[in-house]
Amino acid sequence: MSVTEELMVTPEVLACPYDYYRRVRDEAPVHQTPLGFWVVSRYDDVLSVVRDPERFSSGARPGVQPPIDDELRAIEQTGYPNADTLLSNDPPSHTQFRALVNKAFLPKRVAQLEGEIRDIAEGLLDRFIEDGRVELVTQFAVGVPLTVIADALGVDRADMPDFKRWSDDSVAPLSGLLSPDQMLQCARSRVEFQHYMAARCLERQDEPRDDLLSDLVQARFDSGERAGEPLAMHELLSVIQQLLVAGNETTTKLIASGMQMLIDHPDQMAAVVADPSLIPNLVEESLRAETPVQMLPRVAKVDAEVGGVTIPAGSLLFVLYGCANRDEAKYPGAAAFDVRRPNARTNLAFGQGPHFCPGAALARSEARIAFELLLGRCADWAYDESMAEPTHRELSMTLRGLSALHLTFSQRAIF
Ligand code: HEM
């Protein structure tokens, strides 16, 4: 069967897409799948699409409305209206929101968070270090980004179980595999989160603090009709919601997959342990080899040529970030996991162009600190063979990563 006749979203391909990706890049790098949408797979072609919002929109997606639409709308009416601010917006409106959000992710703020990230990661590690075994995803990789962003948004530690649920329910729809009931549950959760965060925003309006939420609440549009104005509440909530959607599970998956690949490649583990200055490149290579956000959609605004193929105006297409990051033309020996790969940092895991991830520096810091602690304080990392399934991979169209990683280790002697 030709690769153009294959369904991309089968459980087999989602479990391990790399053979399918290789065939797509080689045989039909830009094509329309049997499900109607198009895919763009090669590194250079993905770059050309995401850098060109004039031809490729991140906004309204064509498609059939799901049957639960009325019920969904009724739930949404109990919350704040949706606003297209970032992920689903296009320039020039996107540019204005983005300039404002960038002010909350200045290098100064990220550097300031570094100490907090270390404290949070160390606190999580302390809870299991005496055990010699850990389920790394739930006991560590979830907690690092979740707690960092919760603190930055002024969420009380006592409310963390709710915050975790809100974060999970923000991300769940991305899988593309939810039942109607699950979609309604996610909508209820979104509304609950909106009301909770609206109260925190009002607190920051009255009494700003030295934190990321205050930066967002206090930021003003620089130019345009709204120059000098702050974000309206529903816009603020849209931005905050997207920090959860884009920031938590992605970083969790990066930490877990990086550890898994080190365990699967003992020579690479030994190299990083011997020379911890390789850790920043380990982060990049992990992003490249097991890209947390495998693909994202765009809509062609005009008949648009990509890699010699014309995608008709109005078509839905997916840029395959995870596939582009394994393009042999860019990364020779792309299937190998190589913590010394010289161009690992050119990976497209954070996107490129106007939607380039504003949280990239934060995510890189979190992952770097996580690896520094896990490898610096513990040794002899291995799968916990006493568990029936030492790892569990979650199936999703968009996100790729582990939902469980059972490991054993020993403590390093500290002198
Ligand atoms: C390993 C971790 C992360 C990965 C792999 C990742 C990936 C991405 C990607 C691929 C995009 C581009 C979307 C597009 O092309 O349409 C993006 C955008 C975004 N990310 Fe991240 N992200 C990560 C961490 C974070 C963190 C920690 C935050 C914030 C706390 C964050 C917030 C955002 C936001 C708000 C956007 C939307 C930007 C826009 O549309 O202008 N991300 N991210």
Side-chain angles (χ1 to χ4, degrees):
M1 180 166 54
S2 147
V3 75
T4 57
E5 295 165 45
E6 270 188 52
L7 291 182
M8 189 175 69
V9 289
T10 61
E12 294 74 30
V13 171
L14 292 180
C16 183
Y18 300 121
D19 186 55
Y20 168 80
Y21 283 169
R22 184 185 49 72
R23 292 174 52 224
V24 172
R25 281 192 312 268
D26 290 351
E27 295 169 28
V30 178
H31 75 264
Q32 187 174 24
T33 70
L35 294 173
F37 58 80
W38 290 69
V39 289
V40 176
S41 63
R42 288 184 177 167
Y43 186 96
D44 289 343
D45 292 340
V46 167
L47 255 189
S48 72
V49 169
V50 295
R51 282 184 170 160
D52 190 353
E54 290 289 312
R55 292 196 305 162
F56 299 101
S57 168
S58 293
R61 321 228 187 282
V64 264
Q65 295 300 317
I68 50 165
D69 225 28
D70 284 347
E71 240 180 300
L72 198 62
R73 205 167 298 126
I75 295 171
E76 282 173 352
Q77 274 165 2
T78 64
Y80 289 77
N82 283 329
D84 282 328
T85 49
L86 295 173
L87 282 164
S88 54
N89 200 4
D90 287 326
S93 162
H94 172 267
T95 317
Q96 295 203 320
F97 284 112
R98 186 53 200 258
L100 203 142
V101 169
N102 286 348
K103 294 180 187 174
F105 283 91
L106 293 174
K108 179 181 84 112
R109 175 68 64 210
V110 176
Q112 183 195 16
L113 284 173
E114 173 123 358
E116 287 173 39
I117 298 170
R118 198 169 291 278
D119 289 347
I120 289 165
E122 206 135 23
L124 291 165
L125 181 56
D126 285 340
R127 284 194 216 162
F128 64 79
I129 195 156
E130 299 297 334
D131 302 341
R133 53 171 31 92
V134 62
E135 195 290 277
L136 195 78
V137 176
T138 45
Q139 291 181 252
F140 185 77
V142 164
V144 175
L146 193 76
T147 316
V148 170
I149 201 69
D151 283 359
L153 293 176
V155 173
D156 203 287
R157 286 286 167 91
D159 300 325
M160 281 305 280
D162 282 333
F163 189 69
K164 164 87 175 81
R165 179 169 52 83
W166 295 327
S167 173
D168 290 348
D169 288 347
S170 303
V171 177
L174 287 184
S175 75
L177 308 170
L178 288 195
S179 69
D181 275 350
Q182 287 169 316
M183 284 176 73
L184 293 174
Q185 177 48 40
C186 290
R188 283 186 206 101
S189 193
R190 198 158 50 237
V191 169
E192 244 182 78
F193 176 63
Q194 285 184 332
H195 288 296
Y196 180 90
M197 280 316 304
R200 305 286 84 72
C201 291
L202 292 175
E203 286 166 11
R204 294 300 191 281
Q205 268 169 15
D206 294 342
E207 278 182 56
R209 299 187 204 164
D210 186 18
D211 64 13
L212 189 138
L213 184 61
S214 303
D215 291 349
L216 283 176
V217 170
Q218 301 296 324
R220 300 287 184 267
F221 287 101
D222 285 329
S223 56
E225 281 173 16
R226 297 180 62 186
E229 275 182 37
L231 288 168
M233 184 58 84
H234 69 293
E235 295 166 338
L236 257 175
L237 294 172
S238 152
V239 168
I240 293 167
Q241 174 85 28
Q242 288 175 75
L243 299 183
L244 298 203
V245 175
N248 287 340
E249 207 159 322
T250 45
T251 312
T252 298
K253 290 188 170 1
L254 165 62
I255 295 170
S257 66
M259 275 305 281
Q260 183 182 34
M261 284 187 285
L262 285 174
I263 290 165
D264 286 344
H265 299 86
D267 58 325
Q268 302 294 307
M269 173 74 95
V272 179
V273 170
D275 179 4
S277 73
L278 287 171
I279 289 177
N281 211 49
L282 157 68
V283 173
E284 301 306 324
E285 180 66 349
S286 303
L287 285 163
R288 185 198 69 80
E290 285 287 6
T291 305
V293 181
Q294 286 280 306
M295 65 183 82
L296 282 175
R298 297 288 189 270
V299 173
K301 289 160 95 171
V302 291
D303 287 351
E305 194 251 285
V306 182
V309 176
T310 300
I311 302 179
S315 304
L316 173 66
L317 58 122
F318 282 87
V319 283
L320 304 184
Y321 287 128
C323 177
N325 281 337
R326 287 188 171 227
D327 187 339
E328 288 281 334
K330 181 77 184 175
Y331 303 107
F337 177 63
D338 177 3
V339 295
R340 293 194 174 90
R341 187 180 291 281
N343 65 347
R345 201 178 156 98
T346 60
N347 73 77
L348 297 179
F350 292 117
Q352 263 296 337
H355 292 275
F356 177 79
C357 177
L362 178 60
R364 284 176 162 134
S365 281
E366 290 174 350
R368 176 177 49 74
I369 291 167
F371 291 128
E372 281 169 8
L373 290 172
L374 292 172
L375 305 183
R377 292 186 54 194
C378 311
D380 305 319
W381 285 100
Y383 291 116
D384 185 345
E385 300 297 347
S386 72
M387 303 302 296
E389 286 186 77
T391 69
H392 181 72
R393 187 164 287 287
E394 222 159 7
L395 292 188
S396 156
M397 260 187 80
T398 312
L399 293 177
R400 176 165 177 81
L402 298 167
S403 54
L405 179 59
H406 292 275
L407 300 176
T408 57
F409 58 89
S410 63
Q411 274 191 66
R412 271 187 206 288
I414 299 184
F415 298 102

